[in-house]
Amino acid sequence: MKELKHVAIIMDGNGRWAKKRGMPRSFGHKRGSENLRKLSFYIFEQGIEVLSVFCFSTENFRRSQEEVDFLMNLFVEKFQNEFEEYKKKNIKVIFSGRREGLRQDVLEAMDAISEGTKDNTGGIFHLCLNYGGQYEVIDAMKKVVASGIDLDTLTPEEFMHYFYQDLPPIDFMIRTSGEKRLSNFMLYQASYAEFYFPDTYFPDFDSNEFDKALDVYYERDRRFGGIKEQ
Ligand code: IPE
Ligand code: IPE
Ligand code: MG
């Protein structure tokens, strides 16, 4: 069967999901967060090793202070409340993004959940918070230069070891809500990913929707520049 190690999800459409119901955007974020909890467990049950999710982009600071504050509070609440559950389910929680610019209580909640789950082996839950793909490349480049390695020997695969987290490339990238763009998410790691853009808003993207996505993935023909599927 075709390899599927690393799934990435751009969780989009929380605001529109709420608006459709005459509710404030914050309600959509809350439901999106609850959905992520259930969906992540389901995805790891399918044997997927790495799940990367886009929680907050470096550009999302352009939103109103009220929305940014709501989201940051939601992250703290989520990491604290769900800590034990991820620990028990043997899932390792890790983060990517710039720490500068994040509130102290957010950083503390991130550190607590990643420290408490660091020895888990049943799946890697990779949360991208204050994350931008272009900054990740810049930050990796700085590390490469500081390491003093011979730049002429650097391969694309080796370069990835300098990213925020050392993860395999993305096999399958899903963006919910019908938008068809990457919005600066894991640009380098998505070089050979298959893309899937369901119209469903993220709070409604449940395990059934994920099964449909998997069907699409397994129908795809990945060639990696060659002629035959690998
Ligand atoms: C995604 O939903 C969540 C974040 C970006 C934090 P949006 O908030 O972007 O929802 P829409 O796109 O406005 O519907
Ligand atoms: C991307 O969604 C960021 C996250 C899902 C966290 P946005 O809603 O911020 O992206 P744009 O503004 O539509 O490109
Ligand atoms: Mg959006």
Side-chain angles (χ1 to χ4, degrees), residues 11-16 25 60 63 175 177 179 181:
M11 307 182 290
D12 200 12
N14 291 347
R16 280 164 285 165
R25 295 176 58 80
N60 286 147
R63 296 187 180 195
R175 182 177 186 143
S177 88
E179 305 295 352
R181 54 180 172 266

Side-chain angles (χ1 to χ4, degrees), residues 133-145 147 149 151 153-167 188-189 191:
Q134 291 171 329
Y135 276 128
E136 178 166 39
V137 173
I138 292 174
D139 291 344
M141 195 183 68
K142 287 184 192 165
K143 282 193 240 168
V144 170
V145 170
S147 76
I149 63 154
L151 293 180
T153 65
L154 187 66
T155 64
E157 292 76 23
E158 263 176 82
F159 186 50
M160 276 174 73
H161 299 315
Y162 293 86
F163 282 7
Y164 295 128
Q165 297 290 349
D166 193 2
L167 296 169
Y188 192 97
Q189 299 91 324
S191 301

